[in-house]
Structures are given as structure tokens and as C-alpha cells.
Amino acid sequence: MEEPMPKRKKNVVLISLDDAFSFWRYKDLFGIQLQTPNLDRICARSTAFHAAYCQSPLCGPSRASFMSGKPPPQTGVYGNRTKAFEVMEPSSMWQCRLKDDGYYCSSGGKVHHGFKPLPKDIHDILYSDEPKRFPIDLKLRKSIAQSSNGGNGGGISNIDPEDDSRYYDAHSSKSFVDFLESYDREEPFYREVGFFSPHSPFITPTRFKQMYNITDFHYPEAWKNEFHRSPTADKVVRKNFKTGHRRNWRKSVRNYFSAFSHGDYHLGTVWDALMASPHADNTVVIILTDHGHHLGENGRFGKSTLYEQSALVPLIIYDPDHAQPRTVREPVALLDVGPTVLEYAGLPIRPDFLGRSLRSVVYGETANPDRAVGTFNTHGASIRKGKFRFVRYNDGTKELYNIADDWWQQKNLGSEHPEFAALEQAHAELCSTHGLGFDQDGNGTRL
């Protein structure tokens, strides 16, 4: 009798956007349709987690967290100046488990923090191939014909379509296509695809700016109401944008939307190449970002806060064995990415991981609706639990918001709310399990 063929291990493609908001919340939030045709068709065959949260609202700490499977209080990385591999061993990253198990691990753009390749000695521990360097879209060369239409980032675009291939994301997507076309090894692969979009300064080809007429952008109705937050929040959450200047706000949001659509365009290149390849039926795809982005509410344009708009992120998992649309509204964490990949690879999940594999959820199980998911920065920590967001700053100030009724977090419900004590306890318990304690002055300390 013939022996049954051993089941092939799944390939894994991890795609990272940069500074990407939870796009489904913004589809028509400003009165104009956000154009993401490729994300839309991917979601039509995938599981989309609509309550996924980063563990840090800043690039470097978030990436150090979801690639190590450890939250910031355990990694010690809270800012971009602290390099992850100065405080953590490269071998502690979960992707090394794949490489040790025989996976061919290939880099391709910004997944670990930094647009430049990692130092060669670190790269060689994490990956099986050579480093790749792509041009960084922080400015266009003076020799490139360009226009500037104002708003946050300047509204810069290249004019000649011949220059469209110069962008970081064009190089990253082409690198992935080349990888697929040349990959002929027997071992399964783990491939990263890191995009620059929609990171500032939102430089794109002209056609992406032309997708959006600035006069079609309108403030949400809720913004007519004041933001009643704590004095501590008003102090530490720096206002960096004059939202009341309507024309500049419209141009700024147009710039961000156009950068998001630009990234979506190159994501389509990656998706089409995979679906046309021999690996289509055996490759799991995970799409994520490092953190969300504020677009002018309460004078804030950017990231780094403990509030919903900065902590909520897109997370999408495509499993070819379950290629059907599903929306998960229970809270999950970017800490779950490592355990999910390891389970798909048939590898044991480390007992010290705080994240949970989401594979069973992709297969139809219900995620825990009562789970608390934490986000940390240098000013404090917050949790999403149920329909609430609870924030605690290092000076002991606490805030409570009902995000189901008040998504912009304009009304602090205060300590008199009947759910306050339970949320305060849940916050304290999560901080303790994640390695964060508070000294007698209320300051956060590593346990």
C-alpha cells in the first residue's frame, strides 16, 4: 500500500503597511469614498479583524513588539531611538523559529523597524537571503517633474508616469514578484513585504491625488462637539494641527487618502502575483500595520496616542483553505500574529507568549468578546475591553470612554460610571501580566 503524501507546510507572506489607519472605519467617514479596491477584494476572501490593536502607537516599539511577541514593557522599546536589536537578541524573534525549522526566510521592505536593510550580521540571523535596499520616499529628486498642492506633507506628486516606478512600494512589490517567479526550492517560505505607504510625507504619483476632490471632504458631524478629556491628556497629547483651517485640513486628509490608495495599488500587484503563482493554494497571507493615525480630530494629525484612532489597526488573514469573507469584531492584538504564524507552520507556541493564535478564529471559532487588549506609550497605558476604552496616565489620571457610542472619545465618563471599577481592575491586571507596574507616584515601572 502506498504511503500517503505528507501534508505540505504552509508558506507565509507577511505584508506590512506603515502608519495605516483602520481603513474600513474611514470608507466614507469624511463624506468621500476612500479608494481601496485591492484591500476590498482581498477582504472578500479573507478574515478581517475590525477590533485589532497595536501594543504601541509608534513605529519602532510596535514592530519590536509584534515581531518578538512581547509587549513594550517586556521589550523595553518605547521610542524610535531605542533600536530593538540593541536590547533584544535577533534569535528571540518568532521568525527565527521558522528558519530553524527549515523555512526559507526572505526579507523585502520595512517589517522590522527601518526603511534601510538591517545590519548584515542581524539580517543573516533572521533571513536566508541577501538584504534588499529600496529608495525611501521622504522627498523626490529635484530632477523629477513634480507638483506641490499643500496640506500636511506638502501634497507632493510626480507628474510624469515614467517616474511612478521609482517609489519604495513599487520596488518592494516588484521584489516580491521576482521572488515568486524565481522560487524553486523544496522548503516552504516565509516572505516579508514591507510598504512605505501611507507614511508621511504622502508623496504619490499625481493620479492618486486626482482620485480625491478636496471640496468633497467634510468634518464628521461629531466634531461639532467639544472634546472633554483630562488636563493630563491635554498636556501630553500634543496638538500639532489647526483643524479649524478647513482648506488645509481637506488637503491634508486628501494627501493621506492618496498615499493609502497608492499603497493599495501596489498591494494589488503583490496579490495578483501570488494568486497567479503555483503557491496560491498553499500560502497564508497576513496584512497588518504598526499603528493607526489621527486625521485632525482634537487638533491632532499623526500617531503616538493611547486613543482609539491611533491604537486600532487593520489586520487581515487570508487562508486558502478558508477563502471566504469573515468579519471579527471581538478585540485581538498584534501580539497574536506570532502565535498565529507558528501554528500555521505546525510549530509549538512558546508558553510565555501573551498573544493567542487566531487560526481557530479564521476557521470559524468566536474570539473572546471580553478580552482586554493593551496599548502602551511613555505616558501610560490603555486597554480596549468590551465597548470601552480605559486610559491610565503615569500621573495616575484615569479616563473611561464608551467607544460604541463615542468613537472619537469626546466624553470622559469618569470614576462615577458603573463600569469604571471593573475596567480599572482589568487595566491593572493586564498591565501586571504584560510586565508593567506603577510606583507610589503612579509612574509606570517594568516588573
Side-chain angles (χ1 to χ4, degrees):
M1 185 174 176
E2 222 176 278
E3 294 258 345
M5 289 287 289
K7 192 172 182 180
R8 290 182 300 162
K9 286 205 169 192
K10 287 276 197 290
N11 304 311
V12 177
V13 174
L14 182 66
I15 302 173
S16 172
L17 300 168
D18 201 343
D19 289 16
F21 62 8
S22 51
F23 66 96
W24 34 70
R25 291 301 305 252
Y26 292 84
K27 272 295 191 175
D28 56 5
L29 190 57
F30 298 130
I32 190 171
Q33 192 74 15
L34 172 66
Q35 302 296 316
T36 56
N38 295 302
L39 278 164
D40 296 344
R41 64 191 176 106
I42 292 170
C43 286
R45 301 181 61 190
S46 305
T47 300
F49 295 85
H50 281 202
Y53 293 93
C54 64
Q55 277 52 78
S56 170
L58 188 61
C59 308
S62 180
R63 293 171 185 273
S65 175
F66 70 71
M67 292 305 292
S68 68
K70 298 178 180 180
Q74 292 185 3
T75 65
V77 182
Y78 278 93
N80 286 336
R81 291 185 179 180
T82 303
K83 298 184 184 301
F85 297 116
E86 291 177 347
V87 295
M88 292 188 290
E89 291 295 328
S91 59
S92 68
M93 302 295 113
W94 52 256
Q95 72 186 86
C96 283
R97 302 275 300 283
L98 302 178
K99 189 179 177 191
D100 292 344
D101 193 56
Y103 270 75
Y104 185 87
C105 295
S106 174
S107 65
K110 183 182 177 181
V111 173
H112 291 282
H113 185 54
F115 293 113
K116 297 178 181 179
L118 294 169
K120 188 68 163 58
D121 58 332
I122 295 173
H123 176 97
D124 289 347
I125 294 172
L126 297 171
Y127 302 105
S128 312
D129 60 359
E130 291 301 306
K132 304 167 188 68
R133 184 179 296 272
F134 307 139
I136 302 172
D137 301 340
L138 294 177
K139 61 181 179 179
L140 291 178
R141 293 179 182 175
K142 292 182 179 179
S143 59
I144 296 175
Q146 57 193 271
S147 63
S148 178
N149 294 295
N152 194 291
I156 299 170
S157 303
N158 66 288
I159 296 171
D160 188 346
E162 290 293 319
D163 292 318
D164 290 1
S165 61
R166 295 175 178 267
Y167 287 85
Y168 188 99
D169 293 356
H171 283 261
S172 182
S173 58
K174 183 180 184 302
S175 172
F176 178 75
V177 173
D178 293 344
F179 170 82
L180 282 184
E181 291 177 348
S182 63
Y183 194 79
D184 58 0
R185 307 173 73 96
E186 290 295 322
E187 57 262 49
F189 63 78
Y190 163 76
R191 183 47 155 86
E192 296 175 353
V193 182
F195 285 133
F196 186 97
S197 300
H199 195 284
S200 63
F202 320 126
I203 303 172
T204 70
T206 297
R207 69 181 187 275
F208 293 98
K209 298 290 195 304
Q210 293 173 340
M211 285 181 175
Y212 302 103
N213 186 335
I214 64 168
T215 60
D216 291 335
F217 287 94
H218 301 286
Y219 298 133
E221 192 70 20
W223 288 12
K224 292 180 180 179
N225 303 321
E226 292 185 14
F227 283 76
H228 295 286
R229 293 179 177 167
S230 66
T232 296
D234 291 337
K235 179 181 178 181
V236 303
V237 181
R238 185 171 59 89
K239 293 186 178 182
N240 61 359
F241 188 79
K242 295 181 179 179
T243 307
H245 293 183
R246 185 183 297 264
R247 185 168 177 80
N248 184 63
W249 174 78
R250 284 172 161 171
K251 288 183 176 183
S252 299
V253 179
R254 184 274 316 273
N255 294 344
Y256 183 88
F257 271 40
S258 65
F260 207 104
S261 295
H262 183 216
D264 179 82
Y265 171 81
H266 290 292
L267 175 62
T269 300
V270 169
W271 180 256
D272 288 342
L274 178 60
M275 291 300 105
S277 77
H279 311 290
D281 65 349
N282 195 50
T283 301
V284 171
V285 180
I286 299 177
I287 302 171
L288 48 66
T289 188
D290 41 11
H291 50 74
H293 202 280
H294 295 278
L295 289 180
E297 73 275 10
N298 202 29
R300 182 73 182 172
F301 203 99
K303 49 201 174 190
S304 303
T305 79
L306 296 171
Y307 295 112
E308 193 74 5
Q309 289 70 30
S310 193
L312 186 65
V313 295
L315 176 61
I316 301 162
I317 299 178
Y318 168 75
D319 181 337
D321 296 336
H322 292 267
Q324 53 197 10
R326 184 165 188 234
T327 299
V328 176
R329 303 189 188 280
E330 295 81 18
V332 300
L334 288 187
L335 284 175
D336 300 336
V337 171
T340 301
V341 172
L342 292 176
E343 185 171 8
Y344 269 115
L347 295 171
I349 298 169
R350 281 174 32 185
D352 61 331
F353 273 2
L354 293 168
R356 311 169 185 182
S357 173
L358 299 175
R359 184 172 177 268
S360 63
V361 180
V362 173
Y363 275 61
E365 288 189 10
T366 301
N368 181 6
D370 201 40
R371 180 182 180 185
V373 176
T375 300
F376 305 82
N377 69 10
T378 55
H379 301 299
S382 69
I383 62 168
R384 158 72 196 277
K385 180 176 168 62
K387 61 182 180 180
F388 295 99
R389 175 159 294 278
F390 185 93
V391 183
R392 186 191 196 280
Y393 288 103
N394 288 338
D395 67 356
T397 297
K398 304 177 182 74
E399 300 174 342
L400 177 65
Y401 301 95
N402 182 334
I403 58 174
D405 298 334
D406 176 24
W407 190 66
W408 298 106
Q409 296 122 108
Q410 293 172 290
K411 183 182 179 182
N412 179 11
L413 298 174
S415 59
E416 300 303 313
H417 191 276
E419 296 292 335
F420 184 92
L423 269 296
E424 182 179 34
Q425 180 64 26
H427 181 276
E429 290 174 356
L430 180 133
C431 287
S432 178
T433 60
H434 284 54
L436 180 66
F438 296 94
D439 62 25
Q440 60 184 3
D441 296 320
N443 295 311
T445 59
R446 292 180 71 179
L447 297 176

